[in-house]
Amino acid sequence: MSPKHVVFKKVSRDKSVTVYMAKRDFVDHCDFVDPVDGVIVIDPVQLKGKKVYVMLSCTFRYGRQDMDVMGVAFRRDLFLVTRQVYPELQDKEKLTHTKIQQKLLRKLGNNAFPFFFEFPDNLPCSITLQPGLSDVGKKCAVEFEVKAFCGENQDEKIDKQSSVRLTIRKIQFSPEDSKLLPSAETTFEFLMSEKPLHVKLSLPKETFYHGEPLKANVEITNSSSRNIKDISLSVEQVTHVILYSNDKYVKSVAKEETSDSVPCGTSLKQEYTLHPLLAYNKDRRGLALDGRLKHEDTNLASSSIVKQEVLKEVQGILVSYKVVLRMVASGMVGSSEVSLEVPFRLMHPKPEPAKDR
């Protein structure tokens, strides 16, 4: 094996099954998703004539893993497929799709067998909702897992001693930067005011990267008789939890409250900077975060990109972001809130393509 390749290895407790995988992050490129592949090594003596299976699952978990109320588990499988690896049902060559698989098979010998799965295009990415301080052990998340196990058939109860579980992630990176410059503008008319208020909100680009400051441009032309005050901007995370119903949660993840005002007959043109970072939102219950492996650091959930033709089929958790501009228009006959919003994407940049796959 080339030293630049990291291979993940996990062995069952009774050492009957060992799983090797070259990676645990699988990228959704929108038009296709990286296939899940690896190699399983078996110990025929420990198997004692049993068959070996490998399973790929996508699970929506909305409670503790061990929680079970009146026979109802707080989880739902969004996708589940199981394949027999041993005894072989197909030639090894037909299930070998990458150079690393080929190298592993040559190195690990005759008791090594490849496996290969393809994701359907209607699954969400790996996302978890941040628990509150009192939510010990509770979890709401979309999780992906590869499980290898042995048994007389694939439907019998899985013995933990002779099974292996590896958490994997389905992730998305920013697509090629579009030329779209998000903006919104509108005109507000008020009672007993002959002329209107014109407001424009714009962003310099459609996609911002995690950790990057977000700059928003505000233009206000106040020809009305109202005075504009309490101008604020916020980045709001919109989380759709889709299972038995479509629930929507909106949470501000960055906010800028200003002392700027626009008296009647004046105008304002100003750039504001917002910082949508998890570091400023620690312990806030219900925020959507990118899924993580073990206890590594994570970030606010990346924007979900779903093909329009499968949008109605997707279940789990979908995330989007928007910048919201708010202000108060006050006058002789009272005051009213004026708001405007612009959607944008918050994502990781696409890394350089890996070589020698």
Side-chain angles (χ1 to χ4, degrees):
M1 294 293 294
S2 171
K4 66 183 177 181
H5 288 305
V6 176
V7 176
F8 299 95
K9 172 185 175 183
K10 197 162 185 182
V11 187
S12 63
R13 291 178 187 173
D14 65 4
K15 299 183 179 180
S16 61
V17 178
T18 304
V19 173
Y20 293 82
M21 295 185 70
K23 62 181 183 178
R24 294 173 71 176
D25 284 340
F26 297 87
V27 181
D28 181 346
H29 303 271
C30 293
D31 51 347
F32 74 97
V33 184
D34 290 347
V36 177
D37 60 76
V39 170
I40 290 181
V41 176
I42 62 139
D43 182 337
V45 175
Q46 289 291 338
L47 285 179
K48 300 175 183 177
K50 293 182 179 179
K51 298 174 182 177
V52 176
Y53 302 92
V54 62
M55 175 192 297
L56 173 64
S57 64
C58 172
T59 303
F60 184 19
R61 193 183 307 283
Y62 44 103
R64 283 201 341 229
Q65 187 168 346
D66 59 349
M67 188 177 287
D68 193 348
V69 179
M70 297 181 67
V72 178
F74 283 77
R75 53 173 287 161
R76 179 173 178 178
D77 290 324
L78 303 180
F79 175 73
L80 186 68
V81 61
T82 304
R83 301 237 168 89
Q84 181 177 315
V85 176
Y86 175 83
E88 298 170 89
L89 298 179
Q90 282 184 292
D91 293 336
K92 287 185 180 181
E93 291 183 2
K94 291 183 179 179
L95 292 172
T96 305
H97 294 263
T98 66
K99 292 180 180 179
I100 294 180
Q101 269 187 316
Q102 293 171 357
K103 291 178 180 179
L104 283 169
L105 290 170
R106 285 197 299 268
K107 180 181 179 180
L108 298 172
N110 294 332
N111 288 329
F113 300 89
F115 63 86
F116 179 85
F117 293 99
E118 290 183 298
F119 285 110
D121 56 6
N122 62 347
L123 294 178
C125 287
S126 300
I127 292 179
T128 183
L129 298 188
Q130 182 166 258
L133 292 173
S134 61
D135 297 334
V136 179
K138 294 181 182 179
K139 197 177 197 180
C140 182
V142 174
E143 298 175 325
F144 292 82
E145 183 180 76
V146 170
K147 181 186 293 184
F149 61 96
C150 59
E152 299 294 340
N153 60 71
Q154 69 181 52
D155 297 320
E156 73 175 43
K157 186 176 180 180
I158 297 174
D159 183 355
K160 291 183 179 180
Q161 298 293 322
S162 56
S163 64
V164 174
R165 300 169 64 167
L166 264 175
T167 300
I168 63 173
R169 290 189 300 188
K170 179 173 173 283
I171 60 177
Q172 285 181 321
F173 294 116
S174 169
E176 296 299 323
D177 198 21
S178 70
K179 303 300 181 185
L180 177 67
L181 301 180
S183 68
E185 58 183 309
T186 190
T187 298
F188 297 92
E189 296 187 356
F190 304 105
L191 186 66
M192 300 183 67
S193 178
E194 293 183 4
K195 295 183 180 180
L197 167 71
H198 186 79
V199 181
K200 181 178 180 180
L201 172 63
S202 61
L203 305 178
K205 56 183 180 177
E206 184 183 19
T207 301
F208 290 83
Y209 298 144
H210 290 288
E212 179 183 8
L214 184 149
K215 297 185 182 299
N217 297 295
V218 175
E219 297 178 41
I220 301 173
T221 302
N222 186 11
S223 303
S224 75
S225 59
R226 299 281 185 107
N227 292 315
I228 303 302
K229 61 180 183 178
D230 297 339
I231 299 172
S232 68
L233 290 98
S234 65
V235 173
E236 296 188 351
Q237 181 190 76
V238 183
T239 303
H240 288 271
V241 179
I242 310 162
L243 193 58
Y244 302 106
S245 61
N246 187 347
D247 299 319
K248 184 171 79 170
Y249 304 93
V250 180
K251 293 184 179 292
S252 174
V253 294
K255 192 165 186 178
E256 177 74 14
E257 295 182 327
T258 79
S259 58
D260 295 338
S261 62
V262 189
C264 60
T266 65
S267 62
L268 171 76
K269 189 173 183 179
Q270 182 70 42
E271 180 183 77
Y272 299 97
T273 302
L274 296 155
H275 300 274
L277 295 168
L278 177 59
Y280 301 146
N281 293 278
K282 289 288 189 183
D283 304 321
R284 286 194 60 205
R285 186 176 188 270
L287 273 187
L289 314 178
D290 275 345
R292 58 184 176 180
L293 301 172
K294 294 187 177 179
H295 301 293
E296 65 184 19
D297 289 337
T298 187
N299 44 259
L300 295 172
S302 298
S303 299
S304 306
I305 302 178
V306 182
K307 290 193 294 187
Q308 194 65 36
E309 55 265 34
V310 298
L311 187 57
K312 292 181 179 179
E313 303 172 16
V314 177
Q315 291 187 311
I317 302 174
L318 298 179
V319 175
S320 62
Y321 291 89
K322 59 184 178 181
V323 176
V324 182
L325 169 66
R326 294 183 176 90
M327 64 196 76
V328 173
S330 61
M332 296 286 290
V333 291
S335 62
S336 56
E337 184 179 87
V338 172
S339 65
L340 198 60
E341 62 184 52
V342 170
F344 73 96
R345 289 173 178 165
L346 183 64
M347 305 191 78
H348 286 293
K350 187 179 294 184
E352 292 296 319
K355 297 180 180 179
D356 196 23
R357 276 286 291 163

